[in-house]
Amino acid sequence: MMTALPPRFDVTRHDIERVVASFYALVRQHPGLGPVFAAHVTDWPAHEEKIAAFWANAILHERGYDGNPVRVHRDAGNVRPGMFEIWLALFDLTLRTELRPDQAAAWSAMAHKIGASLRASVVEKMQGPGGVPILR
């Protein structure tokens, strides 16, 4: 029998759900990100539940998430360069507000790694050699 992996750092499922809810409350009010999300998210509780499952998988090794973040963000069609930096800044603000400094730092480091990977897979695919936008 396999033993459960320990969490990557000290947060609980409740902490994750609280951070996700607080973060998306900020996103919905944000003049740049709010409309982007509103174009795609019609059921906020379901979206927040899915994102909490993503983080619970990444941090706590829970197996409740089966999405494909790269495909979802690529297919959205309205994700642009610069949005990831805004997203991460809001997420960092939420982490600092909702968690202890050690928890916030650990989660922020993970979020920035995931964000860089997602940005490379989504935004940079929209550009040709030398960063020239590909017109579609």
Short mmCIF file of all heavy atoms in Angstrom, two decimals, residues 33 79-88 119 123:
data_model
loop_
_atom_site.label_atom_id
_atom_site.label_comp_id
_atom_site.label_asym_id
_atom_site.label_seq_id
_atom_site.Cartn_x
_atom_site.Cartn_y
_atom_site.Cartn_z
N LEU A 33 -8.93 42.25 -15.50
CA LEU A 33 -9.17 40.81 -15.47
C LEU A 33 -10.64 40.44 -15.37
O LEU A 33 -11.06 39.41 -15.90
CB LEU A 33 -8.42 40.16 -14.30
CG LEU A 33 -6.90 40.20 -14.35
CD1 LEU A 33 -6.33 39.46 -13.15
CD2 LEU A 33 -6.36 39.62 -15.64
N VAL A 79 -6.87 35.81 -23.65
CA VAL A 79 -5.77 35.90 -22.70
C VAL A 79 -4.60 36.56 -23.42
O VAL A 79 -4.18 36.11 -24.48
CB VAL A 79 -5.37 34.50 -22.17
CG1 VAL A 79 -4.17 34.60 -21.24
CG2 VAL A 79 -6.55 33.86 -21.46
N ARG A 80 -4.10 37.66 -22.87
CA ARG A 80 -3.08 38.47 -23.54
C ARG A 80 -1.82 38.60 -22.69
O ARG A 80 -1.86 38.46 -21.47
CB ARG A 80 -3.63 39.88 -23.81
CG ARG A 80 -4.83 39.90 -24.73
CD ARG A 80 -4.40 39.61 -26.16
NE ARG A 80 -5.53 39.52 -27.07
CZ ARG A 80 -6.06 38.39 -27.52
NH1 ARG A 80 -5.59 37.24 -27.14
NH2 ARG A 80 -7.07 38.40 -28.35
N PRO A 81 -0.69 38.95 -23.36
CA PRO A 81 0.53 39.22 -22.60
C PRO A 81 0.26 40.29 -21.55
O PRO A 81 -0.50 41.21 -21.77
CB PRO A 81 1.50 39.74 -23.66
CG PRO A 81 1.00 39.16 -24.95
CD PRO A 81 -0.50 39.10 -24.79
N GLY A 82 0.86 40.15 -20.40
CA GLY A 82 0.66 41.12 -19.32
C GLY A 82 -0.39 40.68 -18.33
O GLY A 82 -0.34 41.07 -17.17
N MET A 83 -1.35 39.87 -18.76
CA MET A 83 -2.41 39.44 -17.84
C MET A 83 -1.88 38.51 -16.76
O MET A 83 -2.38 38.53 -15.64
CB MET A 83 -3.54 38.74 -18.60
CG MET A 83 -4.37 39.68 -19.42
SD MET A 83 -5.71 38.78 -20.25
CE MET A 83 -6.45 40.15 -21.15
N PHE A 84 -0.87 37.71 -17.08
CA PHE A 84 -0.34 36.78 -16.08
C PHE A 84 0.32 37.53 -14.94
O PHE A 84 0.19 37.16 -13.78
CB PHE A 84 0.63 35.78 -16.73
CG PHE A 84 -0.06 34.78 -17.60
CD1 PHE A 84 -0.21 35.00 -18.95
CD2 PHE A 84 -0.60 33.62 -17.06
CE1 PHE A 84 -0.88 34.08 -19.77
CE2 PHE A 84 -1.26 32.70 -17.86
CZ PHE A 84 -1.40 32.94 -19.21
N GLU A 85 1.01 38.63 -15.27
CA GLU A 85 1.65 39.43 -14.23
C GLU A 85 0.61 40.06 -13.30
O GLU A 85 0.80 40.09 -12.09
CB GLU A 85 2.53 40.51 -14.86
CG GLU A 85 3.78 39.98 -15.54
CD GLU A 85 3.57 39.40 -16.93
OE1 GLU A 85 2.41 39.40 -17.44
OE2 GLU A 85 4.55 38.91 -17.51
N ILE A 86 -0.49 40.54 -13.88
CA ILE A 86 -1.57 41.12 -13.06
C ILE A 86 -2.19 40.04 -12.19
O ILE A 86 -2.42 40.24 -11.00
CB ILE A 86 -2.63 41.78 -13.98
CG1 ILE A 86 -2.02 42.94 -14.76
CG2 ILE A 86 -3.83 42.25 -13.15
CD1 ILE A 86 -2.89 43.42 -15.91
N TRP A 87 -2.46 38.88 -12.80
CA TRP A 87 -3.04 37.75 -12.07
C TRP A 87 -2.15 37.39 -10.89
O TRP A 87 -2.63 37.22 -9.77
CB TRP A 87 -3.19 36.57 -13.04
CG TRP A 87 -3.88 35.37 -12.50
CD1 TRP A 87 -5.18 35.03 -12.71
CD2 TRP A 87 -3.34 34.34 -11.66
NE1 TRP A 87 -5.47 33.84 -12.05
CE2 TRP A 87 -4.35 33.40 -11.41
CE3 TRP A 87 -2.08 34.11 -11.11
CZ2 TRP A 87 -4.16 32.27 -10.62
CZ3 TRP A 87 -1.88 32.98 -10.32
CH2 TRP A 87 -2.92 32.08 -10.09
N LEU A 88 -0.85 37.25 -11.14
CA LEU A 88 0.08 36.85 -10.07
C LEU A 88 0.18 37.92 -8.98
O LEU A 88 0.26 37.59 -7.80
CB LEU A 88 1.46 36.54 -10.65
CG LEU A 88 1.55 35.21 -11.39
CD1 LEU A 88 2.82 35.15 -12.22
CD2 LEU A 88 1.47 34.04 -10.42
N ARG A 119 2.12 30.85 -18.98
CA ARG A 119 2.36 31.99 -19.87
C ARG A 119 3.13 31.53 -21.10
O ARG A 119 2.81 31.89 -22.23
CB ARG A 119 3.12 33.09 -19.14
CG ARG A 119 3.29 34.35 -19.95
CD ARG A 119 4.11 35.38 -19.19
NE ARG A 119 4.02 36.69 -19.80
CZ ARG A 119 4.67 37.04 -20.91
NH1 ARG A 119 5.44 36.18 -21.54
NH2 ARG A 119 4.52 38.25 -21.40
N VAL A 123 0.61 32.37 -24.04
CA VAL A 123 0.86 33.67 -24.67
C VAL A 123 1.96 33.57 -25.70
O VAL A 123 1.83 34.09 -26.81
CB VAL A 123 1.22 34.72 -23.59
CG1 VAL A 123 1.60 36.04 -24.25
CG2 VAL A 123 0.04 34.92 -22.66
#
